[in-house]
Amino acid sequence: MTDQGQTSRPPMPLFYSDPQPLSSIAHADWRLKAGAFEFARDAHVVPLVVAEFIKASRWYPILFAAEDAAPVALVGLERRNLFVADGDWTTGAYVPAYVRRYPFGFMGAGPDQFALAIDAASDRVAKGGDEGEPLFVDGKPGPLTQQALEFCDAFQGEAAATSAFCAAIVAKDLLVDRRADVTTPDGRRFAIEGFRLIDPAKFAALDAETVVDWHVRGWLGLAQFHLASLDRFAELMALQNDVAVSPAAE
């Protein structure tokens, strides 16, 4: 609840605390330092786009958020990312694009318009000095900023495709609420809730016209990769148990 006359601030996207649209004037001397994945250490879910389902399904359970059916990779059983240790992501594991684009991102700049932004709160951002790579060179976006713009633009395009797929599975009433109560071998218990899954029986009962349409669109494969990814729960349980009994945890 807010005091009368005050406007509540909408929640920030995951990882972002102070996103600012990049400006060649306001951020002329800003630079970006090299960094690791420490910012993702406490996240147990990470947003995905449909283009990532194949690679992500080999490492993480892919779930759908209960409130908007947005797909996410489950990377931990509690408020902890089991794939980040000492700032490094597990070697060889797929790193979601949402993570790789940080601290950059897009902000709404009007109807169907977006502006490249950066999280000013990131410890990788240097607001002056000589450390790191410049965001702007001679008043124009530097190579780093240009690469970030291209990456975020591609990500935004995949976000639209993701929304279309999620709207389709919602329209066909394929999603069901599920709660998983997990007990690791060392006796620790975790409740995984607030997510939905595609019901295999409902998916198998899709009418022929929808099956053909979804095959052409590539949506049948997306649903199947989601269902196959649920086998990754066993690996998460094993990782959680390793964390619990490790000398560092003790």
Side-chain angles (χ1 to χ4, degrees):
M1 181 178 296
T2 58
D3 294 334
Q4 187 174 9
Q6 292 184 333
T7 301
S8 60
R9 183 180 182 181
M12 289 289 104
L14 179 65
F15 305 144
Y16 298 83
S17 298
D18 185 20
Q20 298 182 10
L22 278 176
S23 163
S24 60
I25 298 176
H27 309 120
D29 58 348
W30 283 27
R31 308 174 77 91
L32 189 68
K33 299 178 289 184
F37 296 107
E38 192 65 23
F39 64 89
R41 179 190 59 187
D42 298 327
H44 70 298
V45 295
V46 176
L48 290 175
V49 292
V50 290
E52 303 178 276
F53 273 31
I54 297 177
K55 292 181 179 179
S57 67
R58 299 169 184 166
W59 291 93
Y60 321 109
I62 299 174
L63 310 176
F64 297 91
E67 63 274 13
D68 58 4
V72 296
L74 185 69
V75 296
L77 301 181
E78 56 182 338
R79 298 289 179 178
R80 176 174 187 170
N81 189 335
L82 295 172
F83 293 86
V84 173
D86 299 324
D88 295 325
W89 203 280
T90 298
T91 302
Y94 178 71
V95 182
Y98 187 94
V99 175
R100 286 181 278 126
R101 74 172 186 171
Y102 185 82
F104 293 100
F106 270 165
M107 293 180 65
D112 298 323
Q113 293 184 338
F114 299 92
L116 184 65
I118 193 168
D119 186 5
S122 170
D123 58 10
R124 292 181 58 195
V125 173
K127 302 173 183 178
D130 298 321
E131 186 178 3
E133 189 170 345
L135 300 182
F136 293 94
V137 178
D138 297 329
K140 298 180 179 179
L144 177 67
T145 301
Q146 190 60 43
Q147 292 171 10
L149 178 61
E150 294 171 0
F151 188 93
C152 291
D153 187 54
F155 184 88
Q156 194 66 28
E158 289 298 334
T162 302
S163 296
F165 170 68
C166 294
I169 60 176
V170 169
K172 290 296 182 179
D173 193 30
L174 296 186
L175 295 180
V176 291
D177 294 322
R178 285 290 184 268
R179 170 190 169 102
D181 293 305
V182 178
T183 301
T184 58
D186 68 330
R188 299 184 70 193
R189 295 182 178 180
F190 302 92
I192 302 172
E193 52 190 348
F195 301 102
R196 291 189 280 175
L197 312 176
I198 290 178
D199 185 291
K202 290 184 176 181
F203 178 60
L206 284 173
D207 60 272
E209 183 179 355
T210 298
V211 169
V212 172
D213 180 50
W214 284 23
H215 171 71
V216 173
R217 295 174 183 269
W219 290 350
L220 286 182
L222 294 176
Q224 290 164 345
F225 280 115
H226 152 67
L227 292 171
S229 77
L230 301 182
D231 289 341
R232 305 285 82 76
F233 270 109
E235 283 86 344
L236 279 184
M237 289 176 61
L239 286 173
Q240 182 65 58
N241 191 55
D242 290 343
V243 168
V245 301
S246 67
E250 294 176 357

